[in-house]
Amino acid sequence: MRIGKLFLLGFVLFLVIVDISISLSFRSFVDRKPVFTEKEEIINGLKLLDTKDRMLRKLGRPKTTKKEYWGAYGDEVEYCYYGWGYVLLSPPPAPHKDLERPIEIIEITGKNVVGPRGIRIGEDYKRVIESFRCDVKEIYDRALHGVKLYEVKKSNEEKMLGFVIYNDKGEMDEIWYKVLNENYSSEFGLRFELVKKKVVKIFAYYSPGD
């Protein structure tokens, strides 16, 4: 009889411990870390819309460059290729001001550099989720629909959000963070591309909109 009571007590304690561990694992995704903003540092202190001059001082000279005409601008953009990825520069705001070209895109694919919030290529998706604000308890490994991580309205015109996208197989595919200006349709974005739940590409961009 005494052995039966001890067994029952031990079983109840086991269930309590399991329940606590599950609750903790769910709560671990709820975090009030800062949201992604247009002032986010992407690599080596460099931000979107920083100038070419600042890029050269922070990253050094690229291995190769390429200029390409974009009809949307009626001018040339400039690709600057580094060993870890590339930087895309928009046309300069005035003629003969090449060093003032603003950064429109930063793409990281190499493992030898540190990306936004210390995240590197090859790291687990949880490292990304836990580095930014997250208002949901569960992030599913597989799902048939996206998961919104947070949505914050800064003003009537601007909102900030984060979300997870799954592919047709239900596998986690991308983690997105955005700042949207609904009035002018412009946006700042940060995308983490995943393969087997590991980061394979970090893509930061600015889209000027209308």
Side-chain angles (χ1 to χ4, degrees):
M1 187 73 176
R2 187 176 178 183
I3 293 174
K5 287 182 178 179
L6 288 172
F7 175 79
L8 181 61
L9 179 61
F11 183 69
V12 170
L13 286 172
F14 171 76
L15 290 178
V16 170
I17 291 170
V18 169
D19 182 63
I20 290 172
S21 65
I22 291 174
S23 298
L24 286 174
S25 67
F26 285 170
R27 278 202 299 269
S28 68
F29 280 115
V30 179
D31 206 316
R32 292 295 179 176
K33 285 188 171 67
V35 300
F36 167 75
T37 73
E38 64 272 20
K39 296 180 180 179
E40 189 83 36
E41 293 184 355
I42 307 301
I43 181 172
N44 201 27
L46 209 59
K47 303 184 290 291
L48 293 167
L49 296 187
D50 275 349
T51 63
K52 178 179 180 179
D53 180 58
R54 182 172 169 79
M55 178 198 78
L56 294 173
R57 285 188 279 115
K58 287 287 185 179
L59 303 177
R61 294 203 169 274
K63 288 186 174 181
T64 59
T65 63
K66 180 184 73 171
K67 289 186 177 179
E68 183 178 282
Y69 181 83
W70 279 19
Y73 288 124
D75 203 342
E76 292 182 329
V77 298
E78 183 177 6
Y79 290 86
C80 299
Y81 296 97
Y82 291 87
W84 46 263
Y86 75 89
V87 176
L88 177 69
L89 302 166
S90 300
H96 314 299
K97 297 264 186 174
D98 185 66
L99 289 178
E100 292 186 12
R101 287 176 175 271
I103 294 174
E104 187 167 321
I105 292 174
I106 300 175
E107 180 179 290
I108 301 172
T109 52
K111 293 183 178 181
N112 60 330
V113 294
V114 178
R117 306 202 183 186
I119 299 168
R120 293 174 178 267
I121 298 298
E123 293 200 90
D124 190 79
Y125 81 96
K126 292 181 182 179
R127 173 75 170 83
V128 179
I129 299 293
E130 292 169 354
S131 297
F132 294 84
R133 175 166 171 164
C134 182
D135 291 340
V136 295
K137 291 183 178 180
E138 292 183 82
I139 310 297
Y140 303 102
D141 289 343
R142 301 179 67 88
L144 298 177
H145 56 82
V147 174
K148 185 181 290 185
L149 302 174
Y150 66 81
E151 182 172 339
V152 178
K153 279 217 167 186
K154 190 175 179 181
S155 65
N156 291 332
E157 297 178 352
E158 189 173 81
K159 69 177 179 181
M160 298 169 284
L161 66 158
F163 53 93
V164 178
I165 291 178
Y166 298 81
N167 61 26
D168 294 338
K169 297 178 181 178
E171 300 166 335
M172 191 175 292
D173 200 38
E174 298 173 343
I175 302 173
W176 283 77
Y177 299 99
K178 289 188 176 186
V179 178
L180 300 173
N181 187 308
E182 296 177 336
N183 190 25
Y184 299 103
S185 303
S186 65
E187 67 180 65
F188 291 84
L190 179 60
R191 183 177 78 234
F192 294 88
E193 295 185 16
L194 308 171
V195 173
K196 296 181 179 179
K197 304 177 196 173
K198 302 293 184 182
V199 177
V200 296
K201 182 187 292 184
I202 300 172
F203 186 82
Y205 67 92
Y206 168 69
S207 176
D210 300 335

